[in-house]
Structures are given as structure tokens and as C-alpha cells.
Amino acid sequence: MSHRTLRPAVFFDRDGTLIEHVSYLSDPALVRLLPGATEALKRLRRAGFAVVLVTNQSGIGRGMLTEDRLDQIHTELNRQLTAGGATIDGIYYCPAVPAGDDRTMVEHPDRKPGPGMLRRAAADLKLDLAASWMVGDLISDVLAGLNAGCRSILVESGQTPPGDVKALEGRALILPDLTAATDSILADRETQR
């Protein structure tokens, strides 16, 4: 398939990136968009990017959350985004439970830092990974993007360990928030035209 028929995308982590971080979120009533999330998605879609959510959901594998409940959470997320005029092109999740605490180790092809969810979305939605970005608040998010062939941005959410920031210097952009990430992606797109 020609790159001309493929769209660029921005892949987003969910917790701590688009919505407030809640450990093992299992209640749709606790979904709260982070400041700037709706506007960021609207701006990116206007610029021609697909917007895709990719999220590790080991709570399913741990028995703390059902796929039905996850669907209710994502329905609420979509409701809040739609109320602000934003939409998501696709949602991908991985229920695999990690064997350890190393967020840099690929233990399952779909679980970030594995690139599987991004590659699956690229195939499903006809996306150009080389022209795409991954935005997240953890090293596993950023590495998933890099492992898929995207450029990546680490947003410092307050959940981001300082060691992760240091480990990513020179490999990814490190920015304070979603608005700065969006500004950077759109500025880069303008220089590519």
C-alpha cells in the first residue's frame, strides 16, 4: 500500500495522558478528562491526524475489571469527548498481566512497550506509522511508539518517574502536558509540508 493512501495518527495512552490517573480504574463515574484533552484531539483531527487510544489494562487479566466494565468506561470517555466536539478513531487495549515491574521489557507483543496495539490499529485504520506519534506519560508508552516506528512524546503527568525522563532524553520529546505535545506535533507537521 502506498504511503499516500495512509493517514498519520497520534496514538494516546489513556490514564495520566487523556484522563486523570486512577489506579485500576473500574468505575465510569471516575472518568475525568485532563485539561486540554478535548481541544488537543480536535486540533489534531482538523490537521488530518487519526486519533487512537492504546491502553494497557492488566486489571482485566488480574480479575479486577471485566471487558464489559472497560467498555462502559470507554463509552463514558467517548461521551465526554463528544460533548466537547472531539472524537477518537479507535480504542485498543491489552489485558495481559506483566510478569515483572520493568516497563522497558516487551513481555507480550500487545502490552506496551510492545508495538502490537499500534501495529494492529495501523492495519485496521490504514495508518502510516512512520508519520505518526505516540503520546504518553510512562516510559512504556514512549517505547511502544518507538518500537512501532513512530516518534514519541513523554508528557510529565506527575506519575512519570524521574528515571524514565532521564532514560528517554535524546530518544523522545519530553514536554510538560498535552497542549505542549499537540503544539509540537502540529508545528512539526507544518515544517513537513
Side-chain angles (χ1 to χ4, degrees):
M1 186 174 287
S2 157
H3 280 287
R4 289 197 179 117
T5 61
L6 300 178
R7 291 190 300 167
V10 180
F11 298 96
F12 287 98
D13 170 53
R14 190 188 75 182
D15 306 314
T17 304
L18 287 181
I19 66 172
E20 289 178 7
H21 177 83
V22 174
S23 189
Y24 297 108
L25 176 63
S26 61
D27 183 351
L30 297 178
V31 173
R32 303 265 187 283
L33 290 171
L34 286 172
T38 302
E39 189 59 30
L41 300 190
K42 290 193 308 191
R43 290 174 64 204
L44 291 165
R45 286 186 53 91
R46 276 195 305 266
F49 286 95
V51 173
V52 181
L53 181 70
V54 288
T55 178
N56 287 342
Q57 290 298 316
S58 69
I60 293 172
R62 297 174 199 272
M64 302 167 76
L65 175 71
T66 64
E67 291 192 62
D68 253 7
R69 193 64 163 177
L70 180 64
D71 186 51
Q72 292 170 24
I73 289 165
H74 289 156
T75 297
E76 175 57 21
L77 170 61
N78 275 317
R79 186 196 67 73
Q80 290 182 31
L81 289 170
T82 302
T87 56
I88 293 177
D89 293 282
I91 296 176
Y92 293 79
Y93 67 90
C94 178
V97 177
D101 294 331
D102 186 350
R103 292 183 187 274
T104 65
M105 170 124 20
V106 177
E107 296 179 355
H108 185 283
D110 280 348
R111 183 174 170 78
K112 296 178 290 182
M117 288 188 282
L118 288 78
R119 288 183 178 156
R120 213 160 12 107
D124 292 349
L125 303 172
K126 297 180 177 52
L127 304 175
D128 181 355
L129 289 172
S132 297
W133 293 82
M134 175 71 210
V135 179
D137 68 326
L138 297 173
I139 195 168
S140 54
D141 302 321
V142 172
L143 293 177
L146 296 176
N147 289 336
C150 302
R151 289 173 286 173
S152 286
I153 298 173
L154 179 76
V155 291
E156 297 183 84
S157 66
Q159 297 293 318
T160 312
D164 288 2
V165 175
K166 185 134 186 73
L168 291 169
E169 287 175 357
R171 299 176 68 194
L173 295 177
I174 299 166
L175 298 170
D177 57 33
L178 201 49
T179 299
T182 302
D183 290 345
S184 183
I185 291 167
L186 294 177
D188 179 79
R189 184 151 174 89
E190 279 306 307
T191 64
Q192 302 297 322
R193 290 179 186 246

